[in-house]
Amino acid sequence: MPGTNNEIITTDLITQNIDFTERFAQSIQTLIRILGVSRLQPLPVGSQVKFYKSTLTLADGDGVVAEGAVIPLSHVKRELVDTKELAYRKFRKKTSAEAIQSAGYKQAVTDTDTKLLREVQNSIKLNLVDSLDTQNATMTSGATFQKAIAAALGQLAVKWEDYDIQTVLFINPLDYYDYLGNADITLQTTFGMQYIQNFMGFNTVIMTSTVTRGKIIATASQNLNYVYASINGEMGSAMQYTADQTGLIGIKHSVQDETATIQTVILLGGMLFAEQADGVVIAHISETTDPIPTANNTNNEIRSWLLRHNVSSSDLTGFNKDSLLSKVTSVSISESTSESLANSQSQNGVG
């Protein structure tokens, strides 16, 4: 029950804190579920989170070894590319007595708390995109939005071909709507981001303005992790933070008599990141054509090109480089013929 004349009392603040933390926890847990993240791991604050990439060097001969001969060694090297410390992120605001008197408690405190929550969410989104958008990712490109997505999907198929993966794509909303035009597509929203599932070969597509326009970022959900320093425990109890059951976020409201204000403090220590940096694919939307691979390209690069040009992955298993290049020639001739036919029809008024 509120105090006399609707004044704010301590129990009102506690109730608001519980509602705030529960809403945030549900929102980020929905995002984690949509992304397909299966690992939600609490760690002590100050823990070192490490990012790796793997390099594979195959032995000469493409696995062909004479009877009785020594099998040459292939080499896999796992390199540490970055380390980040798991730290608490802290946000604070104050609302004056005059603002509460003028606008009312809900508008002055509760509504501005919601705006602060959005900034906290944006901070997490920025950190996620920053962890994905690194120079250690596999780079590719496509002349159009659709071709860039196909290129990313092809690279993922090569990178994770021995795994049963769920694919995740991050794109800028402007690129998405430029491609769709006026098409009627149903989108859903969570954690301040729109998303769609089972679109253009990807299990989940996340739209966020934190991704640079003209760039798309893709990875496997199995590559994503969420670690957090729990707010629950001795620190949360000592400082009287209200936290959700998992301890993903803590909030505290307090009356500051010396300044005649109500203070809101938010504390969280979560990090959503890709563990394998080279398991991320970044595709740029460009106006350049996709170069036709040659003998100077690796088998994986040739396979990626063929996948981007709509060759089924089942048709690329077990082929050596000469056979793959033969397929490249066939695809190139087919695409060239189709393009010439389309140009001819256009010139003759056939459409």
Side-chain angles (χ1 to χ4, degrees), residues 26-58:
Q26 289 174 8
S27 181
I28 196 167
Q29 285 171 351
T30 300
L31 173 64
I32 289 169
R33 175 179 54 79
I34 290 166
L35 290 176
V37 179
S38 58
R39 287 168 287 184
L40 186 66
Q41 184 178 4
L43 294 174
V45 68
S47 297
Q48 300 296 305
V49 180
K50 299 183 178 181
F51 303 82
Y52 295 91
K53 71 174 182 179
S54 298
T55 304
L56 170 64
T57 304
L58 287 175

Side-chain angles (χ1 to χ4, degrees), residues 97-275:
E98 290 81 359
I100 296 172
Q101 176 66 20
S102 174
Y105 179 82
K106 181 180 183 302
Q107 187 172 339
V109 179
T110 306
D111 291 352
T112 54
D113 279 354
T114 299
K115 291 180 181 178
L116 181 59
L117 173 62
R118 293 196 188 104
E119 290 304 311
V120 173
Q121 289 179 338
N122 195 50
S123 171
I124 293 173
K125 289 187 288 185
L126 283 169
N127 277 275
L128 170 60
V129 172
D130 283 346
S131 76
L132 295 170
D133 191 1
T134 72
Q135 61 182 4
N136 295 296
T138 300
M139 302 294 177
T140 187
S141 65
T144 64
F145 177 76
Q146 187 173 7
K147 289 184 176 180
I149 286 182
L153 196 58
Q155 288 287 353
L156 281 182
V158 172
K159 284 284 180 183
W160 299 90
E161 65 180 333
D162 294 328
Y163 299 86
D164 181 17
I165 64 168
Q166 296 288 303
T167 51
V168 182
L169 180 69
F170 298 85
I171 59 176
N172 187 289
L174 296 176
D175 290 325
Y176 174 79
Y177 286 110
D178 277 350
Y179 168 73
L180 280 182
N182 295 322
D184 186 16
I185 300 292
T186 301
L187 300 174
Q188 300 181 73
T189 303
T190 188
F191 210 71
M193 295 184 288
Q194 292 181 308
Y195 72 94
I196 186 171
Q197 293 180 309
N198 301 316
F199 177 74
M200 293 184 70
F202 278 87
N203 296 105
T204 302
V205 176
I206 300 287
M207 278 160 276
T208 170
S209 60
T210 53
V211 176
T212 304
R213 191 174 185 184
K215 178 187 291 186
I216 64 176
I217 303 173
T219 191
S221 62
Q222 289 85 343
N223 193 31
L224 295 173
N225 293 271
Y226 190 84
V227 296
Y228 66 99
S230 177
I231 307 302
N232 293 325
E234 291 189 9
M235 185 280 297
S237 298
M239 302 189 71
Q240 298 182 341
Y241 277 95
T242 301
D244 67 292
Q245 188 174 4
T246 56
L248 293 174
I249 187 171
I251 185 171
K252 180 178 181 180
H253 284 98
S254 57
V255 177
Q256 307 288 297
D257 291 328
E258 65 273 22
T259 56
T261 58
I262 290 181
Q263 178 173 265
T264 305
V265 179
I266 297 174
L267 199 67
L268 72 157
M271 186 186 300
L272 186 58
F273 65 96
E275 184 176 350

